[in-house]
Amino acid sequence: MTKSFSFTSHANVAFAMLLLFFIMSTASQAQLSSTFYDRTCPNALATIKSSISRAVSQERRMAASLMRLHFHDCFVQGCDASLLLNDSASIVSEKNAFQNRGSARGFEVIDDAKAQVEKICPGVVSCADILAVAARDASVAVSGPSWTVKLGRRDATKASQAQAESDLPLFTDSLDRLISRFGDRGLSPRDLVALSGAHTIGQAQCFTFRDRIYNNGSDIDSNFATTRRRRCPAAAPNGNTNLAPLDLVTPNSFDYNYFKNLIQKKGLLESDQVLFSGGSTDSIVSEYSSKPATFRSDFGIAMIKMGDVSPLTGSAGEIRRICTAVN
């Protein structure tokens, strides 16, 4: 009887701890709401949209850059705007991480949106939320899908270059590695493929695809490789920063040609082509290549899920006055 009672007690304690963890996690997520600023800053979303629309109208590539900022923020410490912090006495900026250095861009657009919002509602709207809204508005500005952005995130007071270099995907990642990275953040292989579809716009630097276009592999179209070699010389570091569109067909439009390209072995990055290489995600790529409405819907769903990754809410973190430094 004693042993039975002891076992039951331990089981009850374990169950109670699991239940508490679930309640706390659920409460954190529940604090995010699309109506979070309706009373405290009702013109926040319109103000952010105006800034983003203006920036993308001046440079279409900026849409891809802004979506990438939100992605690279959420994958490190959660969606907390830690990516935006500059180096300081107490901060080693995530901007210095290999995956961000020299390629992450659009920070000035976020800074402008924040400044405009601060004029109407000082100290109310977080930089983390501005990043999330900017990603949605950037997509819409290039005829991409829209989705309802949940709000109420707060800003981190710390950053981690080391964690960024450890956690952010690499252009050389295998499919299994990508699935693992996304899975660690509660994102499914379907989310992975949908979010990768953001590469329907934007550009990549020569050094990120040089090995792929010169290795004469069986997973790349030879004519495509020849075309890409024209502005990406074989000998590094020559041409390292030369740009090529991630989608050669429609580089400035948010559409589903990215997936058609993968089927034709015309993925620019190794981490793109592995999504259609005889593995478990081939069927998803095939589906999106023929069903653009499904891709657009799934992309919005995946962006919402990504925006839910470990946000700071309640009294955690702070609302920064400027996005590049803690208060």
Side-chain angles (χ1 to χ4, degrees):
M1 289 291 292
T2 304
K3 288 183 178 179
S4 175
F5 176 79
S6 175
F7 173 80
T8 304
S9 298
H10 285 307
N12 286 341
V13 169
F15 176 76
M17 291 178 67
L18 283 171
L19 183 62
L20 179 61
F21 175 79
F22 174 78
I23 291 171
M24 290 176 66
S25 298
T26 304
S28 173
Q29 299 301 326
Q31 291 179 45
L32 294 184
S33 164
S34 62
T35 61
F36 190 84
Y37 297 115
D38 280 9
R39 291 187 177 182
T40 55
C41 193
N43 292 321
L45 297 189
T47 303
I48 296 169
K49 182 177 182 179
S50 178
S51 287
I52 302 309
S53 298
R54 183 167 57 252
V56 175
S57 69
Q58 293 170 355
E59 184 196 10
R60 297 278 288 185
R61 180 189 173 203
M62 186 55 68
S65 300
L66 293 173
M67 284 189 273
R68 186 170 184 256
L69 286 185
H70 181 41
F71 169 64
H72 278 218
D73 178 46
C74 290
F75 260 59
V76 184
Q77 297 183 178
C79 307
D80 61 1
S82 58
L83 172 60
L84 304 181
L85 290 170
N86 285 340
D87 282 327
S88 70
S90 61
I91 300 289
V92 178
S93 178
E94 293 169 19
K95 296 176 183 179
N96 300 321
F98 171 74
Q99 296 93 321
N100 292 324
R101 188 172 59 248
S103 62
R105 59 194 297 275
F107 296 108
E108 72 283 359
V109 177
I110 300 299
D111 290 342
D112 176 69
K114 173 65 169 174
Q116 299 307 315
V117 172
E118 284 293 299
K119 289 178 181 178
I120 59 171
C121 307
V124 174
V125 181
S126 69
C127 299
D129 277 345
I130 290 175
L131 274 174
V133 173
R136 187 269 312 277
D137 291 347
S139 173
V140 172
V142 289
S143 303
S146 183
W147 57 91
T148 300
V149 179
K150 291 192 280 186
L151 305 163
R153 302 169 191 81
R154 289 169 64 84
D155 298 325
T157 56
K158 60 181 182 178
S160 176
Q161 177 185 340
Q163 191 175 339
E165 293 184 337
S166 169
D167 292 355
L168 288 172
L170 294 163
F171 55 84
T172 54
D173 275 349
S174 67
L175 178 59
D176 286 345
R177 186 71 182 103
L178 289 171
I179 289 174
S180 175
R181 288 188 193 275
F182 279 68
D184 288 345
R185 285 149 191 83
L187 298 168
S188 68
R190 193 172 185 87
D191 297 324
L192 159 63
V193 178
L195 291 171
S196 297
H199 284 182
T200 183
I201 56 173
Q203 302 186 63
Q205 298 181 56
C206 167
F207 79 89
T208 64
F209 58 86
R210 176 182 280 119
D211 287 347
R212 174 161 163 73
I213 62 174
Y214 283 102
N215 69 6
N216 297 313
S218 61
D219 64 343
I220 187 168
D221 177 86
S222 59
N223 290 329
F224 173 74
T226 299
T227 300
R228 293 276 63 92
R229 289 171 185 168
R230 291 172 188 163
R231 283 187 44 76
C232 186
N238 295 330
N240 262 8
T241 59
N242 288 356
L243 296 171
L246 288 158
D247 174 3
L248 183 61
V249 183
T250 54
N252 293 314
S253 296
F254 196 109
D255 54 29
Y256 62 112
N257 273 319
Y258 167 81
F259 300 106
K260 292 183 176 182
N261 294 338
L262 297 186
I263 292 172
Q264 296 169 7
K265 299 183 179 181
K266 295 178 180 178
L268 184 62
L269 303 179
E270 186 177 336
S271 54
D272 288 325
Q273 193 59 55
V274 295
L275 300 178
F276 192 85
S277 56
S280 59
T281 54
D282 281 18
S283 60
I284 306 171
V285 172
S286 294
E287 181 182 0
Y288 288 162
S289 74
S290 62
K291 297 180 179 178
T294 301
F295 162 55
R296 290 173 70 91
S297 174
D298 284 0
F299 184 83
I301 292 169
M303 288 295 287
I304 292 171
K305 287 178 67 176
M306 187 179 75
D308 280 344
V309 175
S310 304
L312 297 174
T313 58
S315 59
E318 63 181 15
I319 304 297
R320 288 185 216 142
R321 288 188 291 272
I322 59 172
C323 292
T324 54
V326 297
N327 294 339

